[in-house]
Amino acid sequence: MPGANVNVLGTVRGSFTDNDGRYKLKVPKNAKIVITSVSYQKLILNVADYRPNSEGIYIIDALMKPDNKDLEEVTITGFGAQQKKASLVSSITSVNVKDLRTPSSNLTNAIAGKVAGIIAFQQSGEPGLGTDNSTFYIRGLSTFGTGKRDPLILIDGIESSPNDMARLQPDDISDFSVLKDAAASSIYGARGANGVVLINTKLGQEGTTRFSFRAENRVSTNTRNFQLADNITYMELANEASVTRTPLGIPPYTQNKINHTRAGDDQYLYPNNNWIKQLIKDYTINQGFNLNIGGGTNKARYYIAGTFNRDNGVLRVDPINNFNSNIKLNNYAVRSNIDLNLTKSTVLLLRVYGQFDDYNGPIGGGSTTFSNALRSNPVMFPAVYPQEKLPYIEHPLFGSARTINTGAAETNTLFVNPYAEMVKGYQTYKTSNLNPQIELKQDLNGLTQGLSARMMSYVKRTSYLALNRFYNPFYYSSTIDPTTGTYSINVLNDGSASSVGTVGTEYLNYNEGEKLVDSRFWIEGSVNYNRTFSKKHAVGGMLVTYFSSYETGNAGSLIRSLPSRNNGVSGRFSYGYDDRYLAEFNFGFNGSERFSEQNRFGFFPSGGIAYRVSNEKFFEQFKRVVTNLKLRATYGVVGNDQIGEVADRFLYLSNVNMNDGGFGSSFGRNDGVGTYNRNGVSISRYANNNITWEKSEQLNLGMDLGIANSFELIVDVFKQKRSQILQPITYLDNAAGLMAIPMANSGKLESQGIDLSANYRKSLGKDLSVEMRGTLTYATSKVLKIDELSYPQNISYLSKAGYSASQQWGYIAERLFLDEADVANSPTQFGDNGLLAGDIKYRDINGDGVVTTDDRVALGYPSQPEIIYGFGSSIRFKKFDLNFYFQGSARSSFFINPTAIQPFFLDGGYQTGLLQAIADDHWSEDNRNLYAFWPRLSTWRVAPNNLPSTWWMRNGSFIRLKNVDLGYNFTNLRKLKVRSARIYFSAINLFTFSNFKLWDVEMGGNGLGYPIQSVYNLGISINL
């Protein structure tokens, strides 16, 4: 065995084995030798037990035994239960918490590509209440119904939101598991149809008090900004756009203005704004801190932790106000986990967790600032005039101008100044999340061996309040003195007779935002039994019952104000024979208030079997190579009652308004005598006693493989059939006379795929070890039945049946029109007879001579990725460690939104800027490229050019260096009373490989919003 460490116990003297497993070491006769190697049990040998040869050399052969600790590890499986990894039948992914440590304050952004079975993607980097969270699904999106689609998240058994998960710190997590198949999640019954994420936080360990402290300073920058063209090009192409479709049109910019701007003359007379550079900083600085304290005795143990994170935005805010409108998110959290041995058989756990957000940011949020940077004219006004122009004025002198119509006349609308919009005020919100929890565990071995009971209860209280404070900016425009060439500025919106737009103010006004508060009470009790008979028959069982009640403040309606209550019973029974043949049965029996009495309760069973081939006697001859081989199969049914809109709570009841003015009538002849008005009756929902649970039937086949105690492979193949999906029945004959669209459980969908994880560990010498790991998740879906027309054969391709739940539809764009003859000889497109050369030419799919909505087809891949994968390595050399991980995404497509990026389009006070990509590659009379990125320019919307089509569809595949971590470990710091310390550099989202270059490809069609962030971090962790 090469690379095994051979050391003299109690000394620093040591060596390691060569490629043949041999070693040499000088030792005292009374020494003890310690031999260690990755994936093998530590071996201690006493030299005195051996005799030297005639040359005084001790020949000590050592037989290392495989360390099957990976198989002995326990996995959390729900309701406080745990199972050994080796005895698992269901498909559960256990996550190494170390892999979740990244220089990000958002835990959801650490799971993509690292957790087999999870499809995850991030589409914004803006700090805030969920704005920068990754969206994730277990084994992909498996329903197209409204209602809950994402997985159930339980933190210490408390039902939590994705934002609760985002705020968790890896420092405080002890276990992280993902329940993927029906056998694992059916115990959660109505809540488990979309899979379950289980997270446990740390408990105190017996021993002296230990302190752990982590401090990080992070530099955050945009992964990629969209690029604007220079403003000379902007004005020249704006002139081209004004005449290319209307030759008699009036160009908006004179050559004199273009020349002065090109020459760099006075920027206040000839503005030359690059709004991205003027509104957005290159980087911002953030901080993160975590302190945790743990310890205790055999009677009581404690774990106390506190966290502070500050995430700042990248908005460039100058000090022109006495407030700062840049984004600043402060996150505070405190946790106390205490467990007490009340008796030898009774353990009491008390957990209290509080998490608080304080947010400050611009009105409308950071994404609005990025959007405004593109939607604002860059050459008609400066961001702000110098204060010395009007020194007696105490408010900022924001620039603007009247917009110009197509006839070159000024209007009574002012251009939007994106800088003024960013700094004119700020919005704040504060959130609180308090979770007190009590758990009691009772060992009942006195009644019968292996029997125990457990009770857990919690209260979860959350609150949210928001408000905006703002002033109305004063806007100014400049007037040139032709005799001196100097300029003066004049106010545009002071409220005078010639004032335009909203009158400015010099004080802060405010708008109240939402005020939300809700409360959940939960109590559960369980009985557990685990016992092995005759060393071969392992029997296990668990019965759980629970009750929950949820209330919300400011409900807005009588129905929503009523407490939401659910209860249920769940169970799990397992049997294992000789650690070779394993079987498991699970069930959930749940009640839901949402359905009528005949459908109120649902029973959701599942079962599975597993075969540990490697524990068979005939397999002994292979165990030196194949150390573990297990085959698994499960099947089950899981339910979901969180269907439909939140307002449609009691689906079996009708919703009738007996006093609806919209359906009223007037009585009388209106001939001078008063008329009599009476409100009418309207129906917004019809009662349907047949509406019931959405059901998910799931089949899973899996294999666990271990080779030479170094390589581990876990593979699962799955198939799911989702039925009884609630959807509207919209295609009914008008003769039915219905006022509301009826609902029914008529939808069906099928999904399938594979997920796998691989891990390889190897010691390459005394001071060097390597670990490599990777995951792959492939999940695809197919709609079997959906609410739609029964299409005739000639347009049957319009049916959504047979396509993915997130399939996108649009038109096939063949190319741009060559000339007017090409337009005339092509099918008429959407009745638009004004199309010209350079506009998009679509394919007439059904051959009827016109292009209409009947010519839409399924395009590209689904909008959500079907493949997420990742791979990386950890390398440890002496006291250095290096970790890196790549994450990739494949089989997804998205549409560029042409209406959002169309240059020169005037929409009220907004006039869109010019992207560099359009300036570089657009159709023109001088560049009649039939495949140019942008069609013929225009100052108005050419509707056919803006339709979703292959012209605007892009491949969302990418691979990025997700994170890198390089650290140095200090271990000999006892003089400083420090057990260990580590200083490290880490980074996330370093670079991306993709064919798409306009913005960060992972943002998809959301690319004009707040970009995903690259973060570079320097940190230190100290353990006392």
Side-chain angles (χ1 to χ4, degrees), residues 921-991:
D921 189 17
H922 66 279
W923 188 98
S924 68
E925 296 292 351
D926 298 325
N927 177 37
R928 303 176 73 88
N929 179 3
L930 300 184
Y931 300 95
F933 168 67
W934 194 261
R936 191 183 194 117
L937 297 175
S938 175
T939 57
W940 67 83
R941 300 271 195 235
V942 180
N945 288 346
N946 296 323
L947 296 171
S949 70
T950 53
W951 201 263
W952 306 117
M953 175 165 276
R954 296 296 183 270
N955 192 323
S957 299
F958 68 88
I959 181 171
R960 74 161 88 238
L961 181 54
K962 186 67 176 179
N963 62 272
V964 169
D965 185 300
L966 174 64
Y968 181 81
N969 298 276
F970 299 89
T971 55
N972 190 20
L973 299 173
R974 294 183 180 179
K975 293 182 180 180
L976 301 176
K977 296 183 179 181
V978 175
R979 289 189 293 115
S980 63
R982 180 174 183 262
I983 186 170
Y984 55 94
F985 168 80
S986 56
I988 58 172
N989 298 329
L990 283 83
F991 56 81

Side-chain angles (χ1 to χ4, degrees), residues 409-423:
E410 290 185 338
T411 72
N412 287 324
T413 301
L414 294 180
F415 280 109
V416 171
N417 182 329
Y419 182 74
E421 290 294 305
M422 181 177 70
V423 302

